[in-house]
């Protein structure tokens, strides 16, 4: 399955108009409902995998589980089925970015923001817990943040409910190594809501410090550390956090599930206590080290004026042509009128894919994302991993196929 899927109509109703993301067994598209003009996200299993019974079961399981989950913090399913050779799931379209995007581009987060996101994730998991559903793949890539700063959990492809028939591969290591609990790494069958909460804690750890609790050269190295290594001190990595944050992490990331928070509600209570503690500390600091009201006219110097934001351009090195980057989302590619493909940044070179890469502008932060192009996208000579956003800085050199351009801020 590739970019040629753009323009296809599923079930005589959902027209695929853009590609949003691609995984190992499915691609998510932006689609327009021809009956009511509504925009949805449509997840389509790769055609070459459509005869894989195990993956079909996983795909159908995700649809059935989502049908029974209703919560503001879980992506809602609209429709699902099989159309000719395509298995598909239609979901609400989320206007926003993944949590991973913000972690990459913003770095370590302000503590209250990170705690609010963690609380919303846990509220969604509480709805799943009440339906006896375990997500089993909580990670920043599966957490979407919409334009109203609300969390939406997606990708229940690895989820399992107690009513679900266990698949033959459920013993195999599943999920992502940075965020997986020790018991899930050892045996997926033993994962319960405490395993999901462990994953939320690892995500919170990374939001606050810019790195996950455990790192290694391979997935196996990381998993072994989850199972055996001492829990790192988050306060040592970020000294401005209160010591209660270390105590929270020690409990949340305990090796034994019995030593952790037992339910999402317990986890939420602990998160709320941390928020209260951080707000109290911030209030004392704002009042000059005491709890009373801060008096006006303290003689504090005015904040320096914010410098005007520079305009972004790309310059094609072979010709010197400058192209302004004016939209929030721009497709870099090769025009193909026959297929109705007209990228915002059109490069007339056969080594450039029709939909080669995205350039994004999020409040003045520019990023590039390779769209799994045949001839790849390179940033300063390094080949980019498909569908992983990388921040751009003034002077960076990008290569789309054989076309080199320079990113400039003027």
């Amino acid at each position: 399955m590739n970019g040629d899927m753009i323009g296809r109509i599923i079930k005589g109703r959902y027209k695929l108009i853009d590609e949003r993301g691609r995984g190992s067994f499915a691609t998510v598209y932006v689609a327009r409902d021809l009956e009511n003009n509504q925009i949805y996200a449509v997840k389509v299993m790769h055609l070459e995998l459509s005869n894989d019974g195990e993956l079909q079961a996983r795909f159908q399981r995700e649809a059935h589980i989502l049908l029974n989950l209703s919560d503001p913090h879980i992506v809602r399913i609209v429709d699902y089925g099989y159309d000719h050779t395509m298995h598909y799931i239609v979901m609400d379209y989320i206007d926003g970015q993944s949590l991973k995007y913000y972690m990459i581009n913003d770095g370590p987060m302000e503590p209250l923001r990170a705690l609010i996101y963690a609380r919303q994730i846990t509220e969604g998991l509480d709805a799943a817990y009440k339906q006896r559903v375990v997500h089993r793949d909580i990670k920043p890539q599966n957490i979407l943040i919409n334009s109203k700063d609300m969390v939406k959990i997606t990708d229940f492809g690895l989820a399992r409910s107690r009513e679900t028939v266990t698949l033959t591969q459920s013993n195999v290591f599943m999920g992502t190594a940075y965020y997986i609990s020790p018991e899930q790494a050892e045996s997926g069958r033993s994962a319960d809501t405490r395993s999901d909460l462990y994953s939320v804690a690892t995500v919170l750890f990374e939001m606050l410090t810019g790195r996950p609790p455990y790192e290694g050269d391979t997935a196996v190295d990381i998993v072994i550390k989850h199972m055996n290594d001492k829990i790192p001190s988050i306060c040592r990595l970020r000294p401005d956090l209160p010591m209660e944050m270390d105590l929270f992490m020690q409990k949340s990331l305990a090796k034994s599930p019995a030593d952790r928070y037992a339910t999402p509600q317990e986890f939420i209570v602990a998160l709320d206590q941390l928020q209260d503690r951080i707000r109290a500390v911030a209030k004392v600091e704002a009042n000059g080290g005491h709890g009373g009201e801060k008096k006006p006219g303290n003689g504090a110097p005015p904040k320096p004026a914010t410098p005007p934001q520079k305009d972004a351009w790309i310059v094609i090195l072979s010709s010197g042509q400058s192209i302004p980057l004016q939209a929030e989302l721009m497709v870099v590619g090769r025009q193909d009128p026959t297929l109705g493909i007209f990228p915002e940044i059109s490069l007339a070179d056969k080594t450039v894919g029709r939909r080669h890469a995205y350039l994004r502008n999020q409040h003045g932060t520019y990023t590039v994302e390779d769209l799994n192009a045949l001839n790849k996208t390179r940033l300063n000579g390094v080949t980019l991993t498909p569908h992983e956003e990388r921040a751009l800085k003034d002077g960076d050199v990008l290569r789309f196929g054989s076309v080199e351009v320079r990113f400039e801020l003027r």
Side-chain angles (χ1 to χ4, degrees):
M1 186 175 297
N2 50 41
D4 292 341
M5 286 290 291
I6 304 300
R8 291 280 294 273
I9 299 176
I10 295 177
K11 200 183 176 181
R13 179 173 179 176
Y14 306 108
K15 183 175 182 179
L16 307 183
I17 59 176
D18 196 6
E19 182 179 314
R20 185 63 188 267
R22 184 183 298 260
S24 57
F25 83 105
T27 299
V28 177
Y29 296 93
V30 180
R32 185 180 301 278
D33 187 338
L34 300 180
E35 292 187 5
N36 59 21
N37 212 35
Q38 186 78 25
I39 296 296
Y40 292 114
V42 180
K43 188 173 186 176
V44 181
M45 183 186 291
H46 296 325
L47 293 178
E48 62 270 21
L49 302 176
S50 60
N51 293 322
D52 187 317
E54 179 76 18
L55 291 180
Q56 284 185 35
R58 170 179 166 179
F59 205 73
Q60 292 168 4
R61 181 175 68 242
E62 178 176 10
H64 284 296
I65 286 174
L66 285 173
L67 280 174
N68 294 318
L69 294 179
S70 178
D71 186 84
H73 299 300
I74 296 176
V75 174
R76 182 178 67 101
I77 187 173
V78 176
D79 194 2
Y80 76 99
Y82 180 76
D83 184 21
H84 299 293
T85 58
M86 290 182 290
H87 296 272
Y88 66 90
I89 299 174
V90 183
M91 299 168 286
D92 279 341
Y93 173 74
I94 306 302
D95 182 18
Q97 298 288 346
S98 73
L99 178 58
K100 187 68 173 179
Y101 171 88
Y102 292 107
M103 291 163 72
I104 290 173
N105 291 287
D106 295 352
M109 290 185 186
E110 188 273 327
L112 285 178
R113 179 188 179 195
L115 287 168
I116 289 170
Y117 285 162
R119 193 188 200 281
Q120 292 186 54
I121 298 168
T122 311
E123 288 174 2
L125 290 177
D126 188 44
Y129 170 71
K130 290 172 181 175
Q131 295 294 324
R132 303 198 295 178
V133 170
V134 185
H135 188 284
R136 299 200 302 167
D137 198 21
I138 292 295
K139 57 186 177 183
Q141 295 90 331
N142 288 340
I143 307 300
L144 304 180
I145 311 294
N146 71 11
S147 56
K148 297 179 180 179
D149 218 29
M150 179 180 286
V151 159
K152 301 281 185 177
I153 304 173
T154 188
D155 201 348
F156 278 74
L158 297 185
R160 191 179 76 237
S161 68
R162 293 186 184 179
E163 289 74 27
T164 304
V165 176
T166 302
L167 301 183
T168 57
Q169 289 187 351
S170 60
N171 262 344
V172 178
F173 164 65
M174 302 172 81
T176 302
Y178 291 120
Y179 314 100
I180 196 167
S181 68
E183 67 273 15
Q184 186 178 344
E186 188 173 8
S187 171
R189 293 175 187 268
S190 63
D192 60 18
T193 192
R194 294 170 297 181
S195 180
D196 279 349
L197 296 176
Y198 181 100
S199 298
V200 177
T202 65
V203 172
L204 176 59
F205 192 106
E206 187 174 1
M207 281 194 282
L208 290 168
T209 66
R211 47 155 285 189
Y214 301 108
E215 296 178 294
D217 293 332
T218 68
V220 173
D221 292 338
I222 298 167
V223 167
I224 290 173
K225 289 181 179 181
H226 276 289
M227 299 174 74
N228 300 314
D229 279 18
K230 182 180 178 181
I231 301 165
S233 167
I234 192 169
C235 292
R236 187 170 299 167
L237 294 170
R238 184 160 177 179
D240 64 317
L241 295 173
M243 66 178 183
E244 287 88 349
M245 189 68 76
D246 247 344
L247 299 175
F248 170 82
M249 287 296 173
Q250 294 297 313
K251 185 174 179 67
S252 300
L253 298 176
K255 305 302 180 188
S256 170
D259 295 331
R260 299 183 209 141
Y261 297 99
T263 67
Q265 280 301 320
E266 286 187 18
F267 199 87
I268 287 171
V269 169
L271 290 173
D272 288 347
Q273 290 171 347
L274 287 171
Q275 289 188 54
D276 291 343
R277 172 63 175 150
I278 289 172
R279 288 192 179 102
V281 170
K283 184 176 180 180
V284 170
E285 291 178 348
N287 292 333
H290 55 82
E293 290 297 322
K294 187 175 181 181
K295 296 181 179 180
N298 59 0
K303 293 183 179 180
T306 302
Q309 186 170 311
K310 295 181 178 181
D311 295 327
W313 301 71
I314 60 170
V315 179
I316 301 176
L317 298 184
S318 61
S319 65
Q321 178 188 1
S322 293
I323 303 173
L325 306 181
Q326 298 175 325
E328 290 185 1
L329 176 65
M330 294 149 283
V331 176
V332 179
R334 176 166 46 89
Q335 181 174 303
D336 190 332
T338 304
L339 295 176
I341 296 175
F342 299 94
E344 285 79 6
I345 300 173
S346 182
L347 302 176
D349 189 290
K350 64 181 180 181
T351 64
V352 178
R354 295 183 181 91
R355 295 172 52 79
H356 199 102
Y358 281 144
L359 289 176
R360 286 189 176 90
N361 173 15
Q362 291 289 323
H363 310 295
T365 298
Y366 290 84
T367 63
V368 61
E369 175 188 346
D370 179 75
L371 296 179
N372 204 24
L374 179 62
N375 291 315
K376 307 303 178 186
T377 304
R378 293 171 177 81
L379 173 59
N380 297 324
V382 177
T383 301
L384 299 185
T385 302
H387 304 291
E388 181 178 311
E389 291 184 69
R390 296 289 297 274
L392 295 174
K393 62 182 186 299
D394 187 31
D396 280 344
V397 175
L398 293 158
R399 187 181 180 96
F400 307 105
S402 61
V403 179
E404 281 195 333
V405 307
R406 185 173 59 250
F407 175 78
E408 294 185 357
L409 295 172
R410 305 176 184 173

